Amino acid sequence: MTMTQDKVMARRWAIVLAGGAIMGAALGVRHVQGLFLQPITLDQGWSREAFGFTLAMQNLIWGLAQPFTGMIADRFGSTKVLLPGLLLYAAGLWVTAEAASTGTFLFGNGLLVGIALSGTAFGAVYGALSRIFPAEHRSWALGVAGAIGGLGQFCMVPFAQGLIDNTGWITALIVLAVTMVLLAPMVALLRDDPRAADTSGADQQSMMAAIKEACRHRGFWLLNLGFLACGFQLAFIAGHMPAYLIDGGLGLEEASAALAIISLSNVAGTYLAGHLGGVMRRKYLLSGLHFVRAASMVVFVALPLTPISVYAFSFVMGFLWLGTVPLTNGLVSQIFGVRYITTLFGIVFFGHQLGSFFGVWLGGAVFDATGSYDPVWFGAVALGLIAAVVHLPIDDARIERPSAAGVPA
């Protein structure tokens, strides 16, 4: 390998490491929100519904903002959303740490962090990497960045738990805010040029025409419904399983270990889902993934709550955790093409975040009303079975459109 080749390879690794670190921190802080539930609600005297509603709004605002941050990145470059996203994330965590009322808590952890996630999570990072790397290296870049991001989520669990145990939840949030600021210089490595996107003219469709076309496609709405079920399950588990385990007689150690196992097994599961999506029909993989998720929840709730059952369930759920993302993204691009993939996936992703809103909010509301999480577990199972069914009839054939030359593109 020549000196020039060494520099090129080092540059590639620096870029994917930067993308993975930013994504891992953004998703990792979101992933450990459940660890803050009990210390915050006990210290502040707030209900679990109030905490859950804030996380619900965070998810909903993330989903609402995602298409718009995607449009900004597509037009002006990804750094225009990544850098503000990190700084806004830090501001949101700082406001959360200083919140003395549920309204301020909602503003910081709900509104500010929700918008920040749309500019720092996989939508923004994957978009930047897709433009920076040519087609022959793109899959490698996305796969490695995703794996690094998953490892970042894994490391965030013991990091956050250690901060809470040793310094308290307020200082822990401030340290996480400073971490976001320290990652800001990495954004420079993810500088992309939207003008370098494919403008061959093979498809002269406008963005609005693409959105209208997608809205007329039944499969587009079925993907939204399936993603809604996914969001409901993941947000409920991430936000409430630590409290569920503690209520069941286990400790913070088991709760932290469960989140860590989910993060670690997610690395392998997401990579495998992306790989299988290239050799098998994605809609069948999505259907099977949702069925296995539902079955694992039934077994988990039916069995006695022990560390072994928790760790086994966490491994299975983690393996299936974000596998829906590359499969759903792949189905959208398979059907509608890649020209407006960021916008169209952003719309589908709103379905995911709408489900997240109800999952994390109803978790708190139902517990406060009944003293149990069981009704929400049953609802998550039912949604999983529905999602397993609705993916099957999706017409995953590529839509053919006339090109500028008058022949199908």
Side-chain angles (χ1 to χ4, degrees), residues 356-382:
S356 298
F357 170 87
F358 286 109
V360 73
W361 172 55
L362 286 176
V366 170
F367 181 87
D368 286 345
T370 67
S372 172
Y373 284 114
D374 286 349
V376 191
W377 281 112
F378 299 147
V381 170

Side-chain angles (χ1 to χ4, degrees), residues 143-168:
V144 174
I148 295 170
L151 288 173
Q153 283 184 264
F154 167 73
C155 294
M156 187 61 71
V157 176
F159 180 59
Q161 186 62 66
L163 288 172
I164 294 171
D165 290 341
N166 295 308
T167 67

Side-chain angles (χ1 to χ4, degrees), residues 95-258:
V95 171
T96 301
E98 299 295 331
S101 67
T102 55
T104 308
F105 185 70
L106 176 62
F107 175 72
N109 205 27
L111 179 64
L112 297 184
V113 173
I115 297 173
L117 277 164
S118 72
T120 54
F122 37 72
V125 172
Y126 283 171
L129 295 177
S130 295
R131 279 188 285 268
I132 292 171
F133 284 87
E136 60 269 23
H137 300 300
R138 193 169 296 146
S139 294
W140 172 83
L142 298 181
V144 174
I148 295 170
L151 288 173
Q153 283 184 264
F154 167 73
C155 294
M156 187 61 71
V157 176
F159 180 59
Q161 186 62 66
L163 288 172
I164 294 171
D165 290 341
N166 295 308
T167 67
W169 64 269
I170 295 177
T171 303
L173 287 171
I174 293 174
V175 171
L176 294 177
V178 172
T179 301
M180 293 298 176
V181 176
L182 294 176
L183 289 172
M186 291 187 175
V187 170
L189 292 168
L190 295 169
R191 190 180 302 277
D192 57 356
D193 183 5
R195 294 171 298 179
D198 182 14
T199 55
S200 62
D203 186 350
Q204 299 299 317
Q205 187 183 42
S206 68
M207 180 181 291
M208 187 55 64
I211 294 173
K212 290 180 179 179
E213 177 185 70
C215 290
R216 291 193 297 266
H217 194 286
R218 185 180 68 160
F220 187 72
W221 296 110
L222 294 178
L223 284 172
N224 269 275
L225 181 57
F227 233 12
L228 184 147
C230 175
F232 184 97
Q233 294 167 340
L234 301 196
F236 166 63
I237 291 172
H240 292 279
M241 195 164 82
Y244 174 76
L245 299 182
I246 294 170
D247 291 341
L250 300 181
L252 281 174
E253 295 79 8
E254 288 83 5
S256 298

Side-chain angles (χ1 to χ4, degrees), residues 11-104:
R11 172 75 176 172
R12 289 174 183 167
W13 274 103
I15 292 170
V16 297
L17 282 170
I22 292 172
M23 184 166 56
L27 295 176
V29 171
R30 174 180 177 266
H31 185 63
V32 299
Q33 295 281 305
L35 298 177
F36 289 88
L37 187 153
Q38 285 210 325
I40 289 179
T41 55
L42 290 175
D43 280 359
Q44 302 282 37
W46 299 339
S47 67
R48 292 190 186 185
E49 181 181 4
F51 186 95
F53 182 74
T54 294
L55 294 191
M57 289 303 299
Q58 178 193 105
N59 284 288
L60 186 62
I61 291 167
W62 178 11
L64 287 169
Q66 189 66 70
F68 298 101
T69 52
M71 292 176 189
I72 293 171
D74 286 343
R75 183 170 182 180
F76 300 106
S78 296
T79 58
K80 297 298 188 293
V81 297
L82 285 166
L83 181 58
L86 284 171
L87 298 180
L88 192 62
Y89 212 136
L93 293 173
W94 191 284
V95 171
T96 301
E98 299 295 331
S101 67
T102 55
T104 308

